[in-house]
Coordinates of all heavy atoms in Angstrom, one line a residue:
M18 N 51.7 -3.3 22.2 CA 50.4 -3.6 21.7 C 50.4 -4.3 20.3 O 49.7 -4.1 19.4 CB 49.6 -2.3 21.4 CG 49.3 -1.5 22.7 SD 47.5 -1.4 22.9 CE 47.4 -1.2 24.6
A19 N 51.4 -5.2 20.3 CA 51.5 -6.0 19.1 C 50.3 -6.9 18.9 O 49.7 -7.4 19.9 CB 52.7 -6.9 19.2
G20 N 49.8 -7.0 17.7 CA 48.6 -7.8 17.4 C 47.3 -7.0 17.6 O 46.3 -7.5 17.3
S21 N 47.4 -5.8 18.1 CA 46.2 -5.0 18.3 C 45.9 -4.2 17.0 O 46.8 -3.6 16.4 CB 46.4 -4.0 19.4 OG 45.3 -3.2 19.5
S22 N 44.7 -4.3 16.6 CA 44.3 -3.6 15.4 C 43.3 -2.5 15.7 O 42.5 -2.1 15.0 CB 43.6 -4.5 14.4 OG 42.4 -5.0 14.9
G23 N 43.5 -1.9 16.9 CA 42.6 -0.9 17.4 C 42.6 0.4 16.6 O 43.3 1.3 17.0
G24 N 41.9 0.4 15.5 CA 41.8 1.7 14.8 C 43.0 2.0 14.0 O 43.3 3.2 13.8
H25 N 43.7 1.1 13.5 CA 44.9 1.4 12.7 C 44.6 1.4 11.2 O 45.4 1.0 10.4 CB 46.0 0.4 13.0 CG 47.4 0.8 12.5 ND1 48.0 1.9 13.0 CD2 48.2 0.3 11.5 CE1 49.2 2.1 12.4 NE2 49.3 1.1 11.5
G26 N 43.5 1.9 10.8 CA 43.2 2.1 9.4 C 42.5 0.9 8.8 O 42.4 0.9 7.5
H27 N 42.1 -0.1 9.5 CA 41.5 -1.2 8.9 C 40.0 -1.0 8.8 O 39.2 -1.8 9.3 CB 41.8 -2.5 9.8 CG 43.2 -2.7 9.9 ND1 44.0 -3.1 8.9 CD2 44.1 -2.7 11.0 CE1 45.2 -3.3 9.3 NE2 45.3 -3.0 10.5
T28 N 39.6 0.0 8.1 CA 38.2 0.3 7.9 C 37.9 0.6 6.4 O 38.9 1.0 5.6 CB 37.7 1.5 8.7 OG1 38.4 2.7 8.2 CG2 38.0 1.3 10.1
P29 N 36.7 0.4 5.9 CA 36.4 0.8 4.5 C 36.7 2.2 4.2 O 37.2 2.5 3.1 CB 34.9 0.5 4.4 CG 34.6 -0.5 5.4 CD 35.5 -0.2 6.6
A30 N 36.5 3.1 5.1 CA 36.8 4.5 4.9 C 38.3 4.7 4.6 O 38.7 5.5 3.7 CB 36.3 5.4 6.0
A31 N 39.1 4.1 5.5 CA 40.5 4.3 5.3 C 41.1 3.7 4.0 O 41.8 4.3 3.3 CB 41.3 3.7 6.5
W32 N 40.6 2.5 3.8 CA 41.1 1.8 2.6 C 40.7 2.6 1.3 O 41.5 2.7 0.4 CB 40.6 0.4 2.5 CG 41.4 -0.6 3.3 CD1 41.1 -1.0 4.6 CD2 42.7 -1.1 3.0 NE1 42.1 -1.9 5.0 CE2 43.1 -1.9 4.1 CE3 43.5 -1.0 1.9 CZ2 44.3 -2.6 4.1 CZ3 44.7 -1.8 1.9 CH2 45.1 -2.5 3.0
T33 N 39.5 3.0 1.2 CA 39.0 3.7 0.1 C 39.7 5.0 -0.1 O 40.2 5.3 -1.3 CB 37.5 4.0 0.2 OG1 36.8 2.7 0.4 CG2 36.9 4.7 -1.1
G34 N 39.9 5.8 0.9 CA 40.6 7.0 0.8 C 42.1 6.8 0.4 O 42.6 7.6 -0.5
V35 N 42.7 5.8 0.9 CA 44.1 5.6 0.6 C 44.2 5.1 -0.9 O 45.1 5.5 -1.6 CB 44.8 4.6 1.5 CG1 46.1 4.0 1.0 CG2 44.9 5.2 2.9
I36 N 43.3 4.2 -1.3 CA 43.4 3.7 -2.7 C 43.2 4.9 -3.7 O 43.9 5.0 -4.7 CB 42.4 2.6 -2.9 CG1 42.9 1.4 -2.2 CG2 42.2 2.3 -4.4 CD1 41.9 0.2 -2.1
I37 N 42.2 5.7 -3.5 CA 42.0 6.9 -4.4 C 43.2 7.8 -4.4 O 43.6 8.2 -5.4 CB 40.7 7.6 -4.0 CG1 39.5 6.7 -4.2 CG2 40.5 8.9 -4.7 CD1 38.2 7.3 -3.7
S38 N 43.7 8.1 -3.2 CA 44.9 9.0 -3.1 C 46.1 8.4 -3.8 O 46.9 9.1 -4.5 CB 45.2 9.3 -1.6 OG 44.2 10.0 -1.1
F39 N 46.3 7.1 -3.7 CA 47.4 6.4 -4.3 C 47.3 6.5 -5.8 O 48.3 6.7 -6.5 CB 47.5 4.9 -3.8 CG 48.7 4.2 -4.4 CD1 50.0 4.5 -4.1 CD2 48.4 3.2 -5.4 CE1 51.0 3.8 -4.6 CE2 49.5 2.5 -5.9 CZ 50.8 2.8 -5.6
I40 N 46.1 6.2 -6.3 CA 45.9 6.3 -7.8 C 46.2 7.7 -8.3 O 46.8 7.9 -9.3 CB 44.5 5.8 -8.2 CG1 44.3 4.3 -7.9 CG2 44.1 6.2 -9.6 CD1 42.9 3.8 -8.0
G41 N 45.7 8.7 -7.5 CA 45.9 10.1 -7.9 C 47.4 10.4 -7.8 O 48.0 11.1 -8.7
F42 N 48.1 9.9 -6.8 CA 49.6 10.2 -6.7 C 50.3 9.6 -7.9 O 51.2 10.2 -8.5 CB 50.1 9.6 -5.4 CG 51.6 9.7 -5.3 CD1 52.2 10.9 -4.9 CD2 52.4 8.6 -5.5 CE1 53.6 10.9 -4.8 CE2 53.8 8.6 -5.4 CZ 54.3 9.8 -5.0
C43 N 49.9 8.3 -8.3 CA 50.6 7.7 -9.4 C 50.3 8.4 -10.7 O 51.2 8.6 -11.5 CB 50.1 6.2 -9.5 SG 50.7 5.2 -8.2
A44 N 49.1 8.8 -10.9 CA 48.8 9.6 -12.1 C 49.5 10.9 -12.2 O 50.1 11.3 -13.2 CB 47.3 9.9 -12.1
A45 N 49.6 11.6 -11.1 CA 50.3 12.9 -11.0 C 51.8 12.7 -11.3 O 52.4 13.5 -12.0 CB 50.1 13.6 -9.7
S46 N 52.3 11.6 -10.8 CA 53.8 11.3 -11.0 C 54.0 11.0 -12.5 O 55.0 11.5 -13.0 CB 54.2 10.1 -10.2 OG 54.0 10.3 -8.8
V47 N 53.2 10.2 -13.1 CA 53.4 9.9 -14.5 C 53.2 11.2 -15.4 O 54.1 11.5 -16.3 CB 52.3 8.9 -15.0 CG1 52.3 8.8 -16.5 CG2 52.6 7.5 -14.4
F48 N 52.3 12.0 -15.1 CA 52.0 13.2 -15.9 C 53.1 14.3 -15.7 O 53.4 15.0 -16.6 CB 50.7 13.8 -15.6 CG 49.6 13.0 -16.3 CD1 48.6 12.4 -15.6 CD2 49.5 12.9 -17.7 CE1 47.6 11.7 -16.2 CE2 48.5 12.2 -18.3 CZ 47.5 11.6 -17.6
I49 N 53.7 14.3 -14.5 CA 54.8 15.3 -14.3 C 56.0 14.9 -15.0 O 56.8 15.7 -15.6 CB 55.1 15.6 -12.8 CG1 55.8 16.9 -12.6 CG2 55.9 14.5 -12.2 CD1 55.8 17.4 -11.2
V50 N 56.3 13.6 -15.1 CA 57.4 13.1 -15.9 C 57.2 13.3 -17.4 O 58.1 13.6 -18.2 CB 57.7 11.6 -15.6 CG1 58.7 11.0 -16.6 CG2 58.2 11.4 -14.2
A51 N 55.9 13.2 -17.8 CA 55.5 13.4 -19.2 C 55.4 14.9 -19.5 O 55.0 15.2 -20.7 CB 54.2 12.7 -19.5
A52 N 55.6 15.8 -18.6 CA 55.5 17.2 -18.8 C 54.1 17.6 -19.3 O 54.0 18.4 -20.2 CB 56.6 17.7 -19.8
N53 N 53.1 17.0 -18.6 CA 51.7 17.4 -18.9 C 51.1 18.0 -17.7 O 50.6 17.3 -16.8 CB 51.0 16.1 -19.3 CG 49.6 16.3 -19.7 OD1 49.0 17.3 -19.4 ND2 49.0 15.4 -20.5
P54 N 51.1 19.3 -17.6 CA 50.6 20.0 -16.4 C 49.1 19.7 -16.1 O 48.8 19.7 -14.9 CB 50.9 21.5 -16.6 CG 51.2 21.6 -18.1 CD 51.6 20.3 -18.6
I55 N 48.3 19.6 -17.1 CA 46.9 19.4 -16.9 C 46.7 18.0 -16.2 O 45.9 17.9 -15.2 CB 46.1 19.5 -18.2 CG1 46.1 20.9 -18.7 CG2 44.6 19.0 -18.0 CD1 45.5 21.1 -20.1
G56 N 47.4 17.0 -16.7 CA 47.3 15.7 -16.1 C 47.9 15.7 -14.7 O 47.3 15.0 -13.8
F57 N 48.9 16.4 -14.5 CA 49.5 16.5 -13.1 C 48.5 17.1 -12.1 O 48.3 16.6 -11.1 CB 50.8 17.4 -13.2 CG 51.2 17.8 -11.8 CD1 51.8 16.9 -11.0 CD2 51.0 19.1 -11.3 CE1 52.3 17.3 -9.7 CE2 51.4 19.5 -10.1 CZ 52.0 18.6 -9.2
W58 N 47.9 18.2 -12.5 CA 46.9 18.8 -11.6 C 45.7 18.0 -11.4 O 45.1 18.0 -10.3 CB 46.6 20.2 -12.1 CG 47.7 21.2 -11.8 CD1 48.5 21.8 -12.8 CD2 48.2 21.6 -10.6 NE1 49.5 22.5 -12.2 CE2 49.3 22.4 -10.8 CE3 47.9 21.3 -9.3 CZ2 50.1 23.0 -9.8 CZ3 48.7 21.9 -8.3 CH2 49.7 22.7 -8.5
A59 N 45.3 17.2 -12.4 CA 44.2 16.3 -12.3 C 44.5 15.2 -11.3 O 43.7 14.8 -10.4 CB 43.8 15.7 -13.6
G60 N 45.7 14.7 -11.4 CA 46.2 13.7 -10.4 C 46.3 14.2 -9.0 O 46.0 13.5 -8.0
T61 N 46.8 15.4 -8.9 CA 46.8 16.1 -7.6 C 45.4 16.3 -7.0 O 45.2 16.0 -5.8 CB 47.5 17.5 -7.7 OG1 48.8 17.2 -8.3 CG2 47.6 18.1 -6.4
A62 N 44.5 16.7 -7.8 CA 43.1 16.8 -7.4 C 42.5 15.5 -6.9 O 41.8 15.4 -5.9 CB 42.2 17.4 -8.5
L63 N 42.9 14.4 -7.6 CA 42.4 13.1 -7.3 C 43.0 12.6 -5.9 O 42.3 12.0 -5.1 CB 42.8 12.1 -8.4 CG 42.2 10.7 -8.3 CD1 40.6 10.8 -8.3 CD2 42.7 9.8 -9.4
T64 N 44.3 13.0 -5.7 CA 44.9 12.7 -4.4 C 44.1 13.4 -3.3 O 43.9 12.8 -2.2 CB 46.4 13.2 -4.4 OG1 47.0 12.5 -5.5 CG2 47.1 12.8 -3.1
L65 N 43.8 14.6 -3.5 CA 43.1 15.4 -2.4 C 41.6 14.8 -2.3 O 41.1 14.8 -1.2 CB 43.1 16.9 -2.7 CG 44.4 17.5 -2.7 CD1 44.3 19.0 -3.2 CD2 45.1 17.4 -1.4
L66 N 41.1 14.4 -3.4 CA 39.7 13.8 -3.3 C 39.7 12.6 -2.5 O 38.7 12.3 -1.8 CB 39.2 13.5 -4.8 CG 37.8 12.9 -4.9 CD1 36.8 13.9 -4.4 CD2 37.6 12.4 -6.3
G67 N 40.8 11.8 -2.5 CA 40.8 10.6 -1.7 C 40.7 10.9 -0.2 O 40.0 10.2 0.6
A68 N 41.3 12.0 0.3 CA 41.1 12.5 1.7 C 39.7 12.9 2.0 O 39.2 12.5 3.0 CB 42.1 13.6 2.0
V69 N 39.1 13.6 1.0 CA 37.7 14.0 1.2 C 36.8 12.8 1.3 O 35.9 12.7 2.2 CB 37.3 15.0 0.1 CG1 35.8 15.3 0.2 CG2 38.1 16.3 0.2
V70 N 36.9 11.9 0.4 CA 36.1 10.7 0.3 C 36.2 9.9 1.6 O 35.3 9.4 2.2 CB 36.4 9.8 -0.9 CG1 35.7 8.5 -0.8 CG2 35.9 10.5 -2.2
G71 N 37.5 9.7 2.1 CA 37.7 9.0 3.3 C 37.1 9.7 4.5 O 36.5 9.0 5.3
G72 N 37.1 11.0 4.5 CA 36.5 11.7 5.6 C 35.0 11.6 5.6 O 34.4 11.5 6.7
V73 N 34.4 11.7 4.4 CA 33.0 11.6 4.3 C 32.5 10.2 4.7 O 31.5 10.0 5.4 CB 32.5 12.0 2.9 CG1 31.1 11.6 2.6 CG2 32.7 13.4 2.6
M74 N 33.2 9.2 4.3 CA 32.9 7.8 4.6 C 33.0 7.6 6.1 O 32.2 6.9 6.7 CB 33.7 6.8 3.9 CG 33.4 6.7 2.4 SD 34.5 5.5 1.5 CE 33.9 4.0 2.2
K75 N 34.0 8.2 6.8 CA 34.1 8.1 8.2 C 32.9 8.7 8.9 O 32.4 8.2 9.9 CB 35.4 8.8 8.7 CG 35.7 8.6 10.2 CD 37.0 9.3 10.6 CE 37.1 9.2 12.1 NZ 38.3 9.9 12.5
M76 N 32.5 9.9 8.4 CA 31.4 10.6 9.0 C 30.1 9.7 8.8 O 29.2 9.8 9.6 CB 31.2 12.0 8.5 CG 32.2 13.0 9.0 SD 31.9 14.7 8.6 CE 32.3 14.7 6.8
A77 N 30.1 9.0 7.7 CA 28.9 8.1 7.4 C 28.9 6.8 8.3 O 28.0 6.0 8.1 CB 28.9 7.8 5.9
G78 N 29.9 6.7 9.1 CA 29.9 5.5 10.0 C 30.8 4.3 9.5 O 30.7 3.2 10.0
M79 N 31.6 4.5 8.4 CA 32.4 3.5 7.9 C 33.8 3.5 8.4 O 34.7 2.8 7.9 CB 32.3 3.5 6.4 CG 31.0 3.2 5.8 SD 31.1 3.2 4.0 CE 29.5 3.8 3.7
G80 N 34.1 4.4 9.4 CA 35.4 4.5 9.9 C 35.5 3.7 11.3 O 34.7 2.9 11.6
T81 N 36.5 4.1 12.0 CA 36.7 3.4 13.3 C 35.6 3.9 14.3 O 35.4 5.1 14.4 CB 38.1 3.8 13.9 OG1 39.1 3.4 12.9 CG2 38.4 3.1 15.2
P82 N 35.0 3.0 15.0 CA 33.9 3.4 15.9 C 34.6 4.1 17.1 O 35.7 3.8 17.5 CB 33.3 2.1 16.3 CG 34.2 1.1 16.0 CD 35.1 1.6 14.9
K83 N 33.8 5.1 17.7 CA 34.3 5.8 18.9 C 34.3 4.9 20.1 O 33.4 4.0 20.2 CB 33.5 7.0 19.1 CG 33.6 8.0 18.0 CD 32.9 9.3 18.4 CE 33.1 10.2 17.2 NZ 32.8 11.6 17.4
E84 N 35.3 5.0 20.9 CA 35.4 4.2 22.1 C 34.3 4.6 23.2 O 34.2 5.8 23.5 CB 36.8 4.4 22.7 CG 37.1 3.4 23.8 CD 38.5 3.4 24.2 OE1 39.3 2.7 23.6 OE2 38.8 4.2 25.2
T85 N 33.6 3.6 23.7 CA 32.6 3.9 24.7 C 33.2 3.9 26.1 O 34.3 3.4 26.2 CB 31.5 2.8 24.6 OG1 32.0 1.6 25.0 CG2 30.8 2.7 23.2
A86 N 32.5 4.4 27.0 CA 33.0 4.4 28.4 C 33.2 3.0 28.9 O 34.2 2.7 29.6 CB 32.0 5.1 29.3
E87 N 32.4 2.0 28.5 CA 32.5 0.6 28.8 C 33.8 0.1 28.3 O 34.6 -0.7 29.0 CB 31.3 -0.2 28.3 CG 31.4 -1.6 28.7 CD 30.2 -2.4 28.1 OE1 29.0 -2.0 28.5 OE2 30.4 -3.4 27.4
M88 N 34.2 0.4 27.1 CA 35.4 -0.1 26.5 C 36.6 0.5 27.2 O 37.6 -0.2 27.4 CB 35.4 0.3 25.0 CG 34.5 -0.5 24.1 SD 34.3 0.1 22.4 CE 36.0 -0.1 21.8
T89 N 36.5 1.8 27.5 CA 37.6 2.4 28.2 C 37.8 1.8 29.6 O 39.0 1.5 30.0 CB 37.3 3.9 28.4 OG1 37.1 4.5 27.1 CG2 38.5 4.6 29.1
A90 N 36.8 1.5 30.3 CA 36.9 0.9 31.6 C 37.5 -0.5 31.5 O 38.3 -0.9 32.3 CB 35.5 0.8 32.3
A91 N 37.1 -1.3 30.5 CA 37.6 -2.6 30.3 C 39.1 -2.6 30.0 O 39.9 -3.4 30.5 CB 36.8 -3.3 29.2
R92 N 39.5 -1.6 29.2 CA 40.9 -1.5 28.8 C 41.7 -1.1 30.0 O 42.8 -1.7 30.3 CB 41.1 -0.5 27.7 CG 42.5 -0.3 27.2 CD 42.6 0.6 26.0 NE 41.7 1.7 25.9 CZ 41.9 2.8 26.6 NH1 42.9 3.0 27.4 NH2 41.0 3.8 26.4
E93 N 41.2 -0.2 30.8 CA 42.0 0.2 32.0 C 42.0 -0.9 33.1 O 43.1 -1.1 33.7 CB 41.3 1.5 32.6 CG 41.5 2.7 31.8 CD 40.7 3.9 32.3 OE1 40.0 3.8 33.3 OE2 40.9 5.0 31.7
D94 N 41.0 -1.7 33.2 CA 40.9 -2.8 34.1 C 42.0 -3.9 33.7 O 42.7 -4.4 34.5 CB 39.5 -3.4 34.2 CG 39.4 -4.5 35.2 OD1 39.9 -4.3 36.3 OD2 38.8 -5.6 34.9
A95 N 42.0 -4.2 32.4 CA 42.9 -5.1 31.9 C 44.4 -4.7 32.1 O 45.3 -5.5 32.5 CB 42.7 -5.4 30.4
G96 N 44.6 -3.4 31.9 CA 46.0 -2.9 32.2 C 46.4 -3.0 33.6 O 47.5 -3.3 34.0
A97 N 45.4 -2.7 34.5 CA 45.7 -2.8 36.0 C 46.0 -4.2 36.3 O 46.9 -4.5 37.1 CB 44.5 -2.3 36.8
K98 N 45.3 -5.2 35.8 CA 45.5 -6.6 36.1 C 46.9 -7.0 35.6 O 47.6 -7.8 36.2 CB 44.4 -7.5 35.5 CG 43.1 -7.4 36.2 CD 42.1 -8.2 35.5 CE 40.7 -8.1 36.2 NZ 39.7 -8.9 35.5
A99 N 47.2 -6.6 34.4 CA 48.6 -6.9 33.8 C 49.7 -6.3 34.7 O 50.7 -7.0 34.9 CB 48.7 -6.4 32.4
R100 N 49.5 -5.1 35.1 CA 50.6 -4.5 36.0 C 50.7 -5.2 37.3 O 51.8 -5.4 37.8 CB 50.2 -3.0 36.2 CG 50.6 -2.1 35.0 CD 50.4 -0.7 35.4 NE 49.1 -0.2 35.6 CZ 48.2 0.1 34.7 NH1 48.5 0.0 33.5 NH2 47.0 0.4 35.1
A101 N 49.5 -5.7 37.9 CA 49.5 -6.4 39.1 C 50.3 -7.8 38.9 O 51.1 -8.2 39.8 CB 48.1 -6.7 39.6
R102 N 50.1 -8.4 37.8 CA 50.7 -9.7 37.6 C 52.2 -9.5 37.4 O 53.0 -10.3 37.9 CB 50.2 -10.4 36.3 CG 48.9 -11.1 36.5 CD 48.5 -11.9 35.3 NE 48.4 -10.9 34.2 CZ 47.4 -10.8 33.4 NH1 46.4 -11.7 33.5 NH2 47.3 -9.9 32.4
L103 N 52.6 -8.4 36.8 CA 54.1 -8.1 36.6 C 54.7 -7.8 38.0 O 55.8 -8.2 38.2 CB 54.3 -6.9 35.7 CG 54.1 -7.2 34.2 CD1 54.1 -5.9 33.4 CD2 55.1 -8.1 33.7
A104 N 54.0 -7.1 38.8 CA 54.5 -6.8 40.1 C 54.7 -8.0 41.0 O 55.6 -8.1 41.8 CB 53.5 -5.8 40.9
E105 N 53.7 -9.0 40.8 CA 53.9 -10.3 41.6 C 55.1 -11.1 41.1 O 55.7 -11.7 41.9 CB 52.6 -11.1 41.4 CG 51.4 -10.6 42.1 CD 50.1 -11.4 41.8 OE1 50.3 -12.4 41.1 OE2 49.1 -11.0 42.3
A106 N 55.3 -11.0 39.8 CA 56.4 -11.8 39.2 C 57.8 -11.3 39.7 O 58.8 -12.0 39.7 CB 56.3 -11.7 37.7
R107 N 57.9 -10.0 40.1 CA 59.2 -9.5 40.5 C 59.5 -9.9 41.9 O 59.8 -10.2 42.7 CB 59.1 -7.9 40.5 CG 59.0 -7.4 39.1 CD 59.0 -6.0 39.1 NE 58.8 -5.5 37.7 CZ 58.6 -4.3 37.4 NH1 58.7 -3.3 38.3 NH2 58.4 -3.9 36.2

């Protein structure tokens, strides 16, 4: 499935959640090296907040859309055609 971007995180919800989590991870890393426990726990909380924000945005419709029955049928039909072409080539 090279070249397919079928739901591999290319959504506003995924990008926002990852960016917030990454900033929190970086902050927690800096504060743990600086021996600042309050800053470390704040960074850890920010990391977890990224997951919550991403989940809320997904529920709000900014995530990957659910596959419809029509999409599933089209995908299965395309797969069957590809297998038939491969069988003919042998």
Side-chain angles (χ1 to χ4, degrees):
M18 297 244 156
S21 173
S22 65
H25 193 67
H27 301 292
T28 64
W32 279 101
T33 303
V35 167
I36 289 170
I37 292 171
S38 294
F39 180 70
I40 292 169
F42 175 79
C43 290
S46 299
V47 168
F48 283 118
I49 200 163
V50 170
N53 183 336
I55 294 173
F57 166 74
W58 287 112
T61 301
L63 190 59
T64 301
L65 297 174
L66 179 67
V69 172
V70 168
V73 168
M74 288 179 71
K75 182 179 177 183
M76 286 190 288
M79 294 182 213
T81 304
K83 294 188 181 193
E84 189 171 271
T85 64
E87 181 180 303
M88 290 171 61
T89 303
R92 184 173 33 82
E93 290 173 356
D94 185 45
K98 288 179 183 178
R100 283 189 294 277
R102 280 188 301 231
L103 285 173
E105 287 177 6
R107 291 183 186 173

